[in-house]
Amino acid sequence: MTQAVANYAGYARGTDAWALGRFVVPVARLDQFESEAGNYFSENIGGPVWRLNALAGDDVGRDCARISEFNREHQSSIRVEAVELKAGSMQEIVSAAGNIPNIREVYFEIPIHSDPRELIGAIARVGARAKVRTGGITSDAFPASGDLARFIETCVKENVVFKATAGLHHAVRSRYPLNYEHNSPVGMMYGFLNVTLASAFILRGMTQKKTIEVLEESSAQAFHFDNDGVTWRGNSASLADLIAMRRRVAASFGSCSFREPIDELRQLHLL
């Protein structure tokens, strides 16, 4: 927590702050976060509000009460703007949504190995957003490309915005170390460009079969960017399409490292 808070504070003041999203923290660790971040709050008086995503646990009502208390205590310096929680059934989604207070965004992380249509439909009905896990520290944590394509396509059809978490450390799909340990096992990982651009192409009507090809693309040179937008093997998405994708489909992705994606985009001459 100490290092994560210090890193976030530094990134927020850096030249790449435009790409920095919210600080993600479990509700159970908000007290620890307060303790570590106190000095940064006092230094930030008059500056931008720190924005948090809070991960709720099994007791949603209790955790949401803690979030409300936290927001009352830190109105001028920091705020929990989004809540994330896991759900495996429509009943869980509806029940949890009824216990969540006035929070700007609510994300339900759902399984996608089977057809998620009913779950995404329930998320749409309660006015929430979806969250998909795109990887982890073992190869079996990465969903099949067909399942991921189906998830994105269903979100588009149901008008549900989603965020992706885990596994998107790199720009383009390839085999990479699965963790930061020495002699880490290597596995196939999705790229954040693959996932976000697949979302833009689906929004333009791309078929699920073709979307799988985008998700499995391993050549960075296959994606060509210019001032008008992006092309991939004869398919194009305009700048307006990309803006619409960010607003209506893929809002963000989470990574263990902020610098790793930024540095890789620079290596690819995309920044």
Side-chain angles (χ1 to χ4, degrees), residues 66-81:
R66 175 66 183 106
I67 290 170
S68 295
E69 176 188 40
F70 182 89
N71 281 345
R72 286 194 300 270
E73 293 173 353
H74 300 286
Q75 292 183 24
S76 63
S77 56
I78 189 163
R79 184 168 186 81
V80 175
E81 291 187 340

Side-chain angles (χ1 to χ4, degrees), residues 98-144:
N99 286 318
I100 297 174
N102 185 25
I103 295 293
R104 180 176 176 179
E105 294 171 6
V106 178
Y107 289 87
F108 285 98
E109 180 184 327
I110 60 172
I112 65 169
H113 57 275
S114 58
D115 192 339
R117 191 178 314 164
E118 290 187 347
L119 296 178
I120 294 174
I123 291 171
R125 287 193 293 276
V126 300
R129 297 182 171 200
K131 177 180 174 182
V132 63
R133 188 163 292 272
T134 49
I137 60 173
T138 58
S139 293
D140 59 2
F142 290 77

